[in-house]
Amino acid sequence: MGGVTAPLELSLAGRDLLRISDLAPAEAEAILDLAVELRERPKQPLLVGATLGLYFSKHSTRTRVSFSAGMTQLGGAALPLTPEELQLSRGESLPDTARALSRYLDALAVRTHEHAELEAWAEWASIPVINALTAEEHPCQALADALTIRDRLGQLEGVRVAWVGDGSNVLVSLAALGERLGYRVVAACPEGYEPCNTLLQGLEVVRDPREAVEGADVVVTDTWISMGQEHERAKRLLDLEPYRLDRELLALAAPDAFVLHCLPAHPGEEITADVLYGDRSAIWDEAGNRLHVQKALLVLLLGAR
Ligand code: CP
Ligand code: NVA
């Protein structure tokens, strides 16, 4: 299924979400608005009889469980599919697997390493395919982050977001969504740790974490060691050490600034425990919003709204 660019009429039905750039600004806003509605009335029978496949070849707590619980709340079901238990691991091709799964499922969420593999799923499946995280993007996370910011500040337009640390998949999606929804991201990343897409208009990359955080409304970080980078652990811990989000760094942000982190967190590495669990952390609300935005996304992609 092909990505669609900025349709005049709002319709996400039958589409894929592989990258934030698949969404027009009005579509991203519609997802956030519906998420708020579903948060207020969580158990609406909008997807009765629908099944979401969860093809995850990487670990997951939040994404897996929020998609599953979300489908249950909407009257549908989710089916976890690990690569090991499919004929795929015995040599059946991805196109054939995608063709067959499309005959049973209504949508497929894929978490994998290479973004190109996600694109192959989308190419061969005839049902909506959702990026549940690749090495390049994490669009469901960005939608939850934008909702959390909008919840707290009442708007996204003009909001100044600081990012500190690794230029991860989460940063790319967050900045791409900012381009669409009006917030700006200044990211402090060490040399060699810049995001894979630095061409985003809503993103400025600097070296000094203090420069990024100074006056920011929101401060965001992510693990220093993303899934698939475990072999670089020692070097990453060393290189990213000056980018830890601690109380001292956060003190440079706006007086009522708050902190986001997609989780899982590594207290003492990218964030200190006092910031993670402190009163300026919006991290647990952010985790909760994963459920609401993904439910909204499913309802819209499956044409139930
Ligand atoms: N933030 C996030 O995607 O968490 P999981 O890896 O637990 O799904
Ligand atoms: N950047 C992290 C996000 C985990 C949700 C990773 O890709 O592992």
Side-chain angles (χ1 to χ4, degrees), residues 193-238:
Y193 293 84
E194 296 85 0
C196 62
N197 184 350
T198 48
L199 299 176
L200 295 163
Q201 282 166 8
L203 175 65
E204 183 189 344
V205 180
V206 300
R207 291 281 173 243
D208 183 353
R210 286 164 305 187
E211 187 185 338
V213 172
E214 185 97 58
D217 302 303
V218 187
V219 185
V220 195
T221 190
D222 186 8
T223 180
W224 289 344
I225 301 140
S226 282
M227 289 178 278
Q229 298 172 337
E230 291 78 4
H231 59 288
E232 298 172 12
R233 181 173 171 82
K235 179 171 167 43
R236 285 182 158 266
L237 289 181
L238 206 65

Side-chain angles (χ1 to χ4, degrees), residues 58 62-63 111 133-135 138 141 166 168-170 222-223 225-230 262-264 290:
K58 281 173 164 177
R62 281 142 288 269
T63 311
R111 171 169 285 200
L133 182 148
T134 66
H138 196 2
Q141 183 68 52
D166 184 33
S168 73
N169 42 6
V170 173
D222 186 8
T223 180
I225 301 140
S226 282
M227 289 178 278
Q229 298 172 337
E230 291 78 4
C262 63
L263 301 172
R290 294 292 305 278

Side-chain angles (χ1 to χ4, degrees), residues 4-301:
V4 176
T5 49
L8 290 175
E9 205 173 297
L10 180 78
S11 176
L12 284 162
R15 303 243 305 267
D16 300 319
L17 177 61
L18 307 187
R19 294 185 182 275
I20 285 294
S21 59
D22 291 332
L23 295 173
E27 292 167 345
E29 274 167 25
I31 296 169
L32 302 193
D33 291 345
L34 182 56
V36 171
E37 203 184 311
L38 294 171
R39 188 167 59 191
E40 284 159 9
R41 290 180 50 220
K43 292 183 183 158
Q44 299 190 51
L46 295 169
L47 296 179
V48 174
T51 307
L52 170 70
L54 295 172
Y55 176 82
F56 279 39
S57 57
K58 281 173 164 177
H59 292 86
S60 172
T61 298
R62 281 142 288 269
T63 311
R64 186 199 311 273
V65 177
S66 54
F67 267 126
S68 299
M71 283 303 287
T72 304
Q73 291 177 10
L74 292 166
L79 183 65
L81 301 165
T82 63
E84 298 74 37
E85 67 195 2
L86 298 178
Q87 297 284 14
L88 194 64
S89 64
R90 294 183 58 252
E92 186 172 16
S93 71
L94 187 155
D96 285 0
T97 308
R99 283 186 186 104
L101 290 179
S102 299
R103 300 291 173 120
Y104 315 129
L105 301 172
D106 297 275
L108 182 66
V110 175
R111 171 169 285 200
T112 192
H113 291 275
E114 299 297 325
H115 196 84
E117 187 198 323
L118 172 75
E119 288 170 343
W121 283 106
E123 182 182 348
W124 297 105
S126 57
I127 51 176
V129 171
I130 300 167
N131 180 351
L133 182 148
T134 66
E136 293 182 25
E137 283 222 28
H138 196 2
C140 295
Q141 183 68 52
L143 288 164
D145 295 359
L147 178 58
T148 312
I149 298 170
R150 203 179 76 169
D151 286 342
R152 297 242 164 177
L153 300 179
Q155 60 176 43
L156 290 168
E157 190 64 48
V159 169
R160 160 89 196 269
V161 177
W163 177 279
V164 281
D166 184 33
S168 73
N169 42 6
V170 173
L171 169 59
V172 172
S173 294
L174 184 67
L177 190 56
E179 233 175 60
R180 281 156 181 76
L181 298 181
Y183 61 85
R184 178 167 178 71
V185 180
V186 181
C189 311
E191 203 178 333
Y193 293 84
E194 296 85 0
C196 62
N197 184 350
T198 48
L199 299 176
L200 295 163
Q201 282 166 8
L203 175 65
E204 183 189 344
V205 180
V206 300
R207 291 281 173 243
D208 183 353
R210 286 164 305 187
E211 187 185 338
V213 172
E214 185 97 58
D217 302 303
V218 187
V219 185
V220 195
T221 190
D222 186 8
T223 180
W224 289 344
I225 301 140
S226 282
M227 289 178 278
Q229 298 172 337
E230 291 78 4
H231 59 288
E232 298 172 12
R233 181 173 171 82
K235 179 171 167 43
R236 285 182 158 266
L237 289 181
L238 206 65
D239 292 346
L240 285 151
E241 172 74 26
Y243 291 78
R244 177 172 301 116
L245 178 52
D246 59 15
R247 210 185 322 192
E248 214 182 320
L249 184 58
L250 185 57
L252 300 173
D256 50 359
F258 57 91
V259 171
L260 297 179
H261 187 311
C262 63
L263 301 172
H266 307 81
E269 292 182 14
E270 77 277 4
I271 191 167
T272 53
D274 57 347
V275 172
L276 173 63
Y277 303 111
D279 56 8
R280 297 175 75 181
S281 165
I283 292 168
W284 310 101
D285 291 340
E286 177 190 13
N289 279 334
R290 294 292 305 278
L291 173 69
H292 312 301
V293 296
Q294 286 160 207
K295 283 171 72 182
L297 180 64
L298 289 164
V299 165
L300 293 168
L301 294 181

